[in-house]
Amino acid sequence: MARVREFDTDAAVDAAMDAFRAKGYEGTSVQDLVAATGVGRGSLYAAFGSKEGLYLAAMDRYREQHAVPLVDVLRAGAPARELIRQVLLGTVDTIVEDGNRRACLIVGAAMERIAHDARVAAHVRITTTSIEDALYEVIVEARSKGELPAGRSPRDLARYFVATLHGLRVLGAINPDRTSLAAVAEVALDALG
């Protein structure tokens, strides 16, 4: 008879996500994950298959907590400039409020893992593409309504704002100063025309 899982899987994934954000994939040992989650090594392997399995689950959770809410904001139907400003400044506020200078799991994965891990690359691509596509839709719709002037390609602008969001995360890890980060966001908004 199979044993019943005796721990809260969601809580374990959340704790692992924090551990990976603090130390990266390579810097986080299985013992670090045991300590962070309070779950034994055997139970973690039984639930997630491997350290990488837990990492992928943490990436999914990170997408749920960070990318999905951004996409929801972008699909709220307000004027494009306001929506994009809200997303950029919301990211700034999240960075400043964190206080721990934790890395963005997606940026960390992109730098550390995607060159040699196709599954991680797919997770990074899914998360990034969902945000890019939502930004693209907002820009195209705003142009069709006359809210934004014609100019640069909407796809290029969407990619630029994704790069800005990731760049804000990196800058915020270096110096989480709200004034400086908000100034970057305002400069980025100028690209809308």
Side-chain angles (χ1 to χ4, degrees):
M1 184 169 159
R3 290 184 56 188
V4 175
R5 189 171 294 149
E6 298 176 7
F7 65 92
D8 181 339
T9 305
D10 289 339
V13 171
D14 286 340
M17 180 179 67
D18 287 342
F20 287 127
R21 288 181 71 193
K23 293 185 172 185
Y25 180 83
E26 295 297 334
T28 304
S29 68
V30 174
Q31 188 54 45
D32 291 332
L33 295 169
V34 167
T37 63
V39 177
R41 179 184 304 253
S43 295
L44 285 176
Y45 278 100
F48 301 102
S50 64
K51 176 183 166 182
E52 183 185 35
L54 182 52
Y55 187 66
L56 294 173
M59 290 183 71
D60 287 339
R61 178 62 48 84
Y62 192 83
R63 180 174 48 251
E64 291 168 11
Q65 292 181 354
H66 297 278
V68 170
L70 288 181
V71 170
D72 289 345
V73 166
L74 289 166
R75 294 197 168 131
R81 191 176 302 277
E82 290 175 30
L83 288 174
I84 296 171
R85 176 178 278 118
Q86 184 179 351
V87 165
L88 292 172
L89 293 179
T91 299
V92 167
D93 290 340
T94 299
I95 292 164
V96 172
E97 290 165 7
D98 175 32
N100 294 319
R101 296 185 179 189
R102 292 180 299 168
C104 169
L105 196 60
I106 299 305
V107 172
M111 300 309 298
E112 184 181 20
R113 304 284 307 152
I114 65 171
H116 55 309
D117 189 326
R119 289 172 49 184
V120 170
H123 276 67
V124 169
R125 204 169 17 262
I126 289 166
T127 300
T128 302
T129 301
S130 68
I131 297 168
E132 180 186 318
D133 288 346
L135 284 159
Y136 171 80
E137 291 164 13
V138 165
I139 293 165
V140 167
E141 184 175 342
R143 283 192 176 166
S144 73
K145 293 178 179 177
E147 290 177 20
L148 294 176
R152 288 187 169 86
S153 151
R155 182 59 67 184
D156 290 346
L157 283 170
R159 287 184 184 126
Y160 170 75
F161 284 113
V162 169
T164 301
L165 288 165
H166 291 319
L168 284 169
R169 292 267 182 199
V170 172
L171 287 173
I174 297 166
N175 179 18
D177 175 66
R178 188 181 196 293
T179 302
S180 298
L181 296 172
V184 170
E186 292 298 332
V187 169
L189 286 165
D190 289 344
L192 290 172

